[in-house]
Amino acid sequence: MTVQVIVLNGGSSSGKSGIVRCLQAVLPDSWLALGVDSFVDALPARMRGSDAGIAFAADGGVSVGQEFRALDAAWAQGVAAMARAGARIVVDDVFLGGAASQQRWREALHGLPVLWVGVRCEEAVAAARETARGDRTPGMAAAQAHAVHEGVVYDLEVDTARTEALACARTIAAHLGRSPVRPAPPGTERRQNEDPDRPSGR
């Protein structure tokens, strides 16, 4: 089946956004880019720093509340609905819950052909990028660099510490051209370790 959704998972400052832009440039069809940062930007200001919304700790940790979780779930279902309506979509996210976060996406995307891509980046490189960009809480990149990949199963992995974004995008595009991808299975079996603080991509 033809891939309908590409899901990129990687820590903060790992280079996902750059890969997404390059994918839109090199893929022959038109792909929408939907990232978790856009979702967070769409939240009302009152939800930032609140118990019900999303809060960033001084050490780079992230916590979310019930209202955030409800909107996050609705957002994922909305992404899936667009894909089912025919749109091709590249999602960039941060699986802070590791395998549990992936399972939530599997459930939302059930029946759709999905390519799961891990975006790796050495902790030191991601931390340097974090400092250079200046719009992230210090420590976030280091905290997420390895944790977001724990237990996650990928079809393909790329490493932005060693490879430029365009080359990573071309690797993904080449994989799409040669490897059939099965639809994501219905999420009938939930993982036992729940993901209590899925801020999926901050």
Side-chain angles (χ1 to χ4, degrees), residues 9-16 37 56 60 62 93-96 119 121-123 125-127 129-130 133 135-137 139-145 148 201-202:
N9 172 50
S12 178
S13 300
S14 63
K16 300 183 303 298
D37 286 342
F56 302 92
V62 183
D93 205 345
V94 175
F95 292 174
L96 293 187
V119 180
C121 183
E122 292 178 6
E123 183 177 321
V125 175
R129 292 175 182 169
E130 176 181 76
R133 66 192 296 179
D135 63 350
R136 291 291 187 272
T137 303
M140 186 179 295
Q144 297 176 2
V148 300
R202 282 108 231 154

Side-chain angles (χ1 to χ4, degrees), residues 7 50 87 93 99 105 148 184:
V7 178
S50 73
D93 205 345
W105 270 112
V148 300

Side-chain angles (χ1 to χ4, degrees), residues 120-123 125 129 158-165 167-168:
R120 303 272 184 175
C121 183
E122 292 178 6
E123 183 177 321
V125 175
R129 292 175 182 169
V158 294
D159 186 343
T160 64
R162 296 173 173 80
T163 310
E164 294 293 332
C168 290

